Structures are given as structure tokens and as C-alpha cells.
């Protein structure tokens, strides 16, 4: 299993790599094929806007998709570590409980990163990655030193989430 991170996906206007040829990712989020389909949608949109100046089209496509490819590659590796190391940790379970409660209270602002990746195709991987960092910080902050959800100031966590996360 491996991750491919190419910095250059095109050769001027002559050839373009898409899908796993440009950015293969480990399967721990199961998004490799979805990213390849997204590549096609993004490329089609650029072609509709820019015509067939292939060098420009390919360069723009690479610029737009590189951030998303890197984001899902990083999240897939992080998900592997999470599955391997944390799923039996009581602190992890508490953070999941708080995460689900915040999602229930703030469905437009607090969507767990896993849900953003798996169930919200309209949310770019780069946005899921960035929001996931903020959400993780919130969960760490409000569960630190706590053992149950009853000991967490969920109202304060909700207020902090509203302050730090714009609605999607």
C-alpha cells in the first residue's frame, strides 16, 4: 500500500495524469476512486470554461486538484492511524460522543470529518481536512480531563464551534 504524490501531472499540453496515476492513496478512507471521478468532473468544468488550450487547462486542473489530492492522502493515512491506535481509547470514545452531539446541535457547522469525507461529496477534501483540524482542537479542548459526556460543558463547546466554524 502506498501513496503517490506527484507534483507535476501534465506535460505542457501533451498529456495529463488523472486518478491514481496522479495521486494514488492508501485505501483507509476508500476515496481513491471517488477522487478520480472528481478529477473528471473538475476537468470537464475547466474545459467548459477554458476551451481546449490544453496547456492552460492541464495546469489549472493540477492547481485546483492538487490541494484536494493531498488532503485526502493525508486524511487516509490519519484514518489508518486512528483505526489502528485509538478506537479502543476511552478518550477517543468520549470525543466521538461530543462530536455526534455537536453535529446534532449544529448540523450545518459541525460535521465530523469522517462524515464530510464519506457522505458529503459537495464538501471538497481540502475543506474537510481544514475543518477537521479545527474540530479536533475543539474536541481535545472540551474533553481534556473529562471521562464522560456529562462532565463536558457541551454548551460551551457548541458556542466555541459556532465561533470557530462557519456554516457549510
Amino acid at each position: 500500500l502506498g501513496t503517490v504524490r506527484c507534483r507535476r501531472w501534465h506535460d505542457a499540453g501533451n498529456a495529463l495524469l488523472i486518478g491514481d496515476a496522479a495521486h494514488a492513496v492508501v485505501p483507509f478512507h476508500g476515496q481513491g476512486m471517488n477522487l478520480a471521478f472528481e478529477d473528471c468532473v473538475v476537468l470537464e468544468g475547466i474545459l467548459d470554461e477554458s476551451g481546449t488550450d490544453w496547456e492552460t487547462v492541464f495546469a489549472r486542473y493540477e492547481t485546483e486538484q492538487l490541494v484536494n489530492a493531498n488532503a485526502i492522502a493525508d486524511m487516509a493515512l490519519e484514518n489508518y492511524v486512528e483505526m489502528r491506535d485509538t478506537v479502543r481509547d476511552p478518550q477517543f470514545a468520549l470525543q466521538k460522543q461530543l462530536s455526534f452531539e455537536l453535529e446534532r446541535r449544529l448540523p450545518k457547522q459541525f460535521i465530523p470529518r469522517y462524515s464530510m469525507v464519506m457522505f458529503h461529496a459537495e464538501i471538497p477534501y481540502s475543506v474537510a481536512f481544514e475543518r477537521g483540524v479545527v474540530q479536533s482542537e475543539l474536541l481535545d479542548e472540551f474533553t481534556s480531563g473529562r471521562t464522560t459526556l456529562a462532565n463536558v460543558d457541551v454548551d460551551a463547546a457548541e458556542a466555541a464551534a459556532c465561533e470557530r466554524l462557519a456554516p457549510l
Side-chain angles (χ1 to χ4, degrees):
L1 300 175
T3 299
V4 174
R5 292 187 195 253
C6 296
R7 185 69 177 134
R8 184 110 166 126
W9 297 348
H10 63 95
D11 173 38
N14 299 313
L16 175 69
L17 300 175
I18 65 172
D20 282 354
H23 48 66
V25 295
V26 294
F28 303 114
H29 250 309
Q31 294 295 302
M33 181 63 74
N34 288 344
L35 181 57
F37 288 143
E38 184 181 292
D39 287 348
C40 296
V41 170
V42 169
L43 183 58
E44 179 183 34
I46 293 169
L47 285 169
D48 287 347
E49 291 176 12
S50 301
T52 57
D53 174 1
W54 296 111
E55 188 166 0
T56 300
V57 167
F58 292 172
R60 183 172 160 205
Y61 157 79
E62 180 183 314
T63 299
E64 288 184 22
Q65 279 301 85
L66 183 62
V67 66
N68 288 311
N70 286 337
I72 192 59
D74 290 341
M75 289 187 292
L77 291 168
E78 289 174 9
N79 198 48
Y80 168 71
V81 172
E82 180 178 291
M83 291 186 308
R84 182 190 70 196
D85 295 343
T86 64
V87 293
R88 293 183 285 176
D89 180 356
Q91 188 69 20
F92 176 80
L94 177 59
Q95 288 184 351
K96 286 296 181 193
Q97 289 175 344
L98 178 57
S99 179
F100 293 139
E101 179 59 21
L102 290 173
E103 180 180 28
R104 187 186 68 74
R105 291 181 179 204
L106 303 167
K108 300 285 187 203
Q109 283 176 279
F110 197 101
I111 302 169
R113 188 170 81 174
Y114 184 84
S115 295
M116 283 189 279
V117 170
M118 301 303 284
F119 307 118
H120 293 273
E122 74 283 3
I123 299 174
Y125 294 121
S126 59
V127 171
F129 181 81
E130 292 165 5
R131 290 179 74 90
V133 170
V134 173
Q135 291 176 171
S136 182
E137 291 169 355
L138 280 165
L139 296 172
D140 287 343
E141 178 182 335
F142 286 95
T143 61
S144 179
R146 311 295 192 283
T147 57
T148 67
L149 192 57
N151 296 328
V152 173
D153 187 346
V154 179
D155 292 334
E158 179 181 359
C162 286
E163 182 181 302
R164 298 180 204 174
L165 296 165
L168 288 173

